[in-house]
């Protein structure tokens, strides 16, 4: 970024201290702007740290043309933003903080330390060295003319970056309360929906012994979406990547089915079931001839009892077993959310058309993506893009 004039007297307020906000703060501070980050919670990066508890998936090691389509309707709008800070750039950025990364067999990229905390600590040191101030327990409440209002009072800044997250995991800071503030300013906000979220199932008592077990080697299908990912059976329903990746179609009303034997055709399954069973029970015959795991057989009986006796009919059923559920888990339990600040309300630099000098970034924007590094990458990329837009705005005014 080439500075056209000294910005050291300019100020920026960044609201929200997740990956998008911290990246925006970094970009602004590197340009010489005086930056203060305001965070409602007592500490920063809470959802970022939670994401790293099971291994911080920073990005997906894939070329841009394979990466961008995962953002569906927002793909075209996000393409230039992701091109400016792609998967390779995310990895270089982490290495620049002294955090080596590695790529797993699935293409997912993780820090060697796996956890988020070492990366976050190094990042905060960098921001401190750049002069970024961080104010915690400052909850944003809206606008008062050109000023920003917080529970603690009013703040004025030359530019503002809003990075307030979506509407899931409210206890970590993303409660979506900002949506009503912006709607009150006649700024378009698309209603929130649960994304990357588990399925709610009202299990019978017979399923209790299987709680905690993974459903493996299956294929989930909902509408145009399919997944070979695993799911964990819990007392509440089904959780895991296999369900998260098709949650959008379920949310939009598509029927969900699961193929319990995805590597075999209907005819192959039927031929095996057609073998004579002698005095064995129907359930034992299915289990032995198909070598079907107890959990898969339990799911078939849970959702389709009594199972068909005819081999062809049973084969078709096992290859497309309807999943009986009562919807997705609540919005607050979702890893991420759909909906948010409409791109129509923003210009190409992610500045609010209704409020020149105010930019937005991260999950508060109206995009969604699957897990696998796409979420964090887009948060960081949009934070960086918003910072660049804010710097350009300062240089032009």
């Amino acid at each position: 970024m080439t500075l056209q004039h000294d910005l050291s007297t300019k100020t920026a307020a960044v609201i929200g201290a997740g990956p998008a906000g911290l990246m925006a703060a970094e970009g602004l501070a590197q340009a010489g702007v005086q930056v203060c980050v305001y965070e409602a919670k007592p500490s920063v990066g809470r959802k970022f740290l939670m994401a790293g508890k099971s291994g911080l998936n920073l990005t997906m090691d894939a070329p841009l043309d394979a990466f961008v389509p995962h953002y569906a309707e927002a793909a075209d709008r996000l393409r230039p933003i992701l091109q400016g800070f792609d998967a390779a750039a995310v990895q270089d950025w982490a290495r620049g903080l002294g955090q080596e990364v590695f790529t797993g067999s699935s293409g997912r990229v993780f820090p060697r330390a796996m956890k988020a905390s070492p990366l976050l600590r190094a990042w905060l040191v960098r921001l401190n060295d750049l002069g970024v101030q961080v104010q915690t327990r400052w909850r944003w409440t809206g606008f008062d003319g050109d000023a920003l209002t917080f529970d603690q009072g009013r703040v004025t800044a030359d530019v503002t970056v809003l990075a307030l997250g979506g509407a899931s995991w409210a206890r970590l800071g993303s409660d979506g309360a900002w949506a009503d503030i912006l709607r009150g300013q006649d700024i378009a906000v698309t209603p929130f929906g649960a994304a990357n979220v588990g399925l709610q199932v009202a299990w019978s008592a017979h399923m209790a012994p299987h709680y905690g077990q993974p459903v493996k080697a299956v294929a989930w299908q909902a509408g145009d979406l399919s997944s070979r990912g695993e799911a964990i059976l819990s007392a509440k329903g089904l959780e895991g990547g296999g369900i998260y990746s098709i949650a959008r179609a379920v949310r939009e009303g598509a029927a969900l089915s699961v193929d319990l034997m995805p590597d075999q055709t209907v005819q192959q399954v039927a031929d095996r079931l057609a073998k004579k069973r002698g005095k064995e029970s129907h359930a034992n015959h299915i289990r032995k001839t198909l070598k079907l795991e107890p959990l898969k057989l339990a799911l078939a009986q849970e959702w389709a009892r009594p199972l068909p006796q005819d081999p062809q009919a049973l084969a078709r059923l096992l290859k497309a077993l309807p999943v009986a559920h009562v919807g997705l888990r609540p919005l607050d339990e979702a890893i991420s959310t759909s909906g948010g600040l409409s791109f129509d309300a923003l210009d190409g630099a992610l500045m609010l058309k209704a409020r020149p000098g105010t930019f937005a970034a991260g999950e508060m924007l109206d995009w969604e993506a699957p897990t696998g590094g796409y979420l964090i990458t887009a948060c960081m990329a949009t934070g960086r893009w918003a910072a660049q837009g804010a710097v350009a705005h300062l240089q032009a005014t």
Side-chain angles (χ1 to χ4, degrees), residues 45-348:
R46 289 193 163 198
K47 194 173 180 183
F48 186 66
L49 291 171
M50 178 64 76
K53 280 199 168 183
S54 57
L56 181 65
N57 185 191
L58 279 174
T59 191
M60 177 67 73
D61 192 6
L64 190 70
D65 285 344
F67 200 96
V68 171
H70 289 276
Y71 297 91
E73 290 89 346
D76 289 343
R77 189 64 189 266
L78 290 176
R79 176 176 282 274
I81 297 173
L82 293 164
Q83 188 170 17
F85 197 71
D86 60 10
V90 172
Q91 295 175 68
D92 289 342
W93 170 84
R95 295 187 189 102
L97 288 172
Q99 303 299 307
E100 288 301 318
V101 297
F102 73 95
T103 302
S105 58
S106 65
R108 298 185 179 203
V109 177
F110 301 87
R112 287 279 177 198
M114 290 300 286
K115 298 178 181 178
S117 50
L119 180 61
L120 181 59
R121 284 196 298 269
W123 198 359
L124 293 175
V125 169
R126 172 184 285 180
L127 293 174
N128 182 69
D129 291 344
L130 287 168
V132 174
Q133 297 182 17
V134 179
Q135 295 282 0
T136 56
R137 295 187 172 90
W138 277 63
R139 179 174 295 279
W140 182 59
T141 56
F143 302 103
D144 181 8
D146 292 334
L148 302 164
T149 59
F150 297 84
D151 286 342
Q152 293 80 356
R154 298 169 77 255
V155 170
T156 57
D158 294 307
V159 290
T160 298
V161 177
L162 303 176
L164 290 145
S168 62
W169 290 80
R171 66 185 180 85
L172 301 178
S174 299
D175 59 11
W178 56 265
D180 287 338
I181 297 174
L182 295 188
R183 288 191 184 107
Q185 299 277 316
D186 293 324
I187 296 170
V189 178
T190 305
F192 295 115
N196 294 300
V197 66
L199 196 68
Q200 193 159 308
V201 181
W203 301 114
S204 69
H206 300 289
M207 296 301 292
H210 301 285
Y211 292 167
Q213 293 183 27
V215 185
K216 298 181 178 181
V218 297
W220 309 93
Q221 183 76 43
D224 294 331
L225 299 181
S226 60
S227 169
R228 290 289 297 263
E230 295 183 6
I232 301 295
L233 193 145
S234 74
K236 294 180 178 180
L238 290 164
E239 296 278 349
I243 297 298
Y244 301 159
S245 58
I246 49 83
R248 175 176 178 168
V250 174
R251 185 183 74 228
E252 293 173 350
L256 174 62
S257 65
V258 60
D259 183 346
L260 299 178
M261 304 185 70
D263 297 319
Q264 296 187 50
T265 66
V266 170
Q267 192 57 52
Q268 287 173 327
V269 175
D271 288 345
R272 292 170 65 179
L273 288 168
K275 295 177 182 178
K276 292 183 179 180
R277 82 183 196 205
K279 295 182 179 179
E280 283 186 322
S281 68
H282 192 208
N284 276 338
H285 179 68
I286 296 169
R287 178 176 57 82
K288 288 183 178 180
T289 57
L290 301 182
K291 295 182 171 57
L292 204 64
E293 298 95 324
L295 177 54
K296 289 184 178 180
L297 183 57
L299 289 173
Q301 292 174 327
E302 176 76 1
W303 289 328
R305 185 187 292 119
L307 298 177
Q309 297 285 330
D310 176 67
Q312 285 286 345
L314 180 54
R316 288 194 296 271
L317 177 67
L318 297 178
K319 291 285 293 175
L321 179 66
V323 176
H325 62 87
V326 289
L328 300 176
R329 295 295 302 159
L331 180 65
D332 194 48
E333 294 182 18
I335 292 175
S336 60
T337 50
S338 64
L341 178 57
S342 171
F343 279 107
D344 291 339
L346 303 165
D347 69 8

